[in-house]
Amino acid sequence: MFEVTEYSVEVMKDPFGILTGQRYEFMLDLDIDEEDELYSQEGISLRVIYVVDGEQSRIAKYEFLTRSSNSYVDFELEEDEHAWVLAYCKECLESPGQEQQKQ
């Protein structure tokens, strides 16, 4: 498992109005244990596209990136991590005025 050290969130615009719901792009800077297979000396970030559509919310897409070079890391979230990230994004949106948060 990992911890979020900082995050940023931006509203994603839909210029054509074809997508339902509101989309947000989260960039989560992660603190990962050196023993974890995801660990990298460059540091790892998680980019999450989070969708809120009425009462429903979901992760539409996510990708791990190295912090320094912003290159893609081929890795998937485990089921419990996916649920945790979903809850984290929801909590961030429900806490207005907190642009960056340390966990």
Side-chain angles (χ1 to χ4, degrees):
M1 193 66 161
F2 46 78
E3 290 186 35
V4 176
T5 57
E6 291 184 36
Y7 78 90
S8 63
V9 60
E10 292 183 24
V11 174
M12 297 179 72
K13 306 224 185 293
D14 178 16
F16 302 107
I18 58 175
L19 302 172
T20 60
Q22 186 68 49
R23 283 167 170 62
Y24 301 89
E25 178 185 48
F26 279 84
M27 287 299 294
L28 309 175
D29 287 341
L30 305 178
D31 181 25
I32 300 169
D33 187 275
E34 288 183 28
E35 301 296 319
D36 193 307
E37 62 185 319
L38 180 58
Y39 177 80
S40 169
Q41 287 183 336
E42 293 183 62
I44 298 289
S45 293
L46 179 61
R47 178 178 176 258
V48 178
I49 306 301
Y50 179 79
V51 179
V52 177
D53 192 1
E55 295 295 315
Q56 302 293 319
S57 61
R58 64 184 171 86
I59 294 174
K61 178 182 178 182
Y62 67 86
E63 58 191 2
F64 287 98
L65 305 167
T66 57
R67 265 189 240 153
S68 59
S69 62
N70 214 27
S71 23
Y72 176 76
V73 178
D74 188 16
F75 206 82
E76 292 188 26
L77 288 170
E78 294 178 9
E79 191 174 317
D80 61 331
E81 293 170 332
H82 189 277
W84 186 88
V85 170
L86 181 65
Y88 186 88
C89 292
K90 182 177 182 178
E91 180 181 319
C92 290
L93 289 180
E94 291 175 353
S95 303
Q98 293 185 356
E99 298 238 344
Q100 291 189 339
Q101 177 176 323
K102 291 192 176 182
Q103 190 77 342

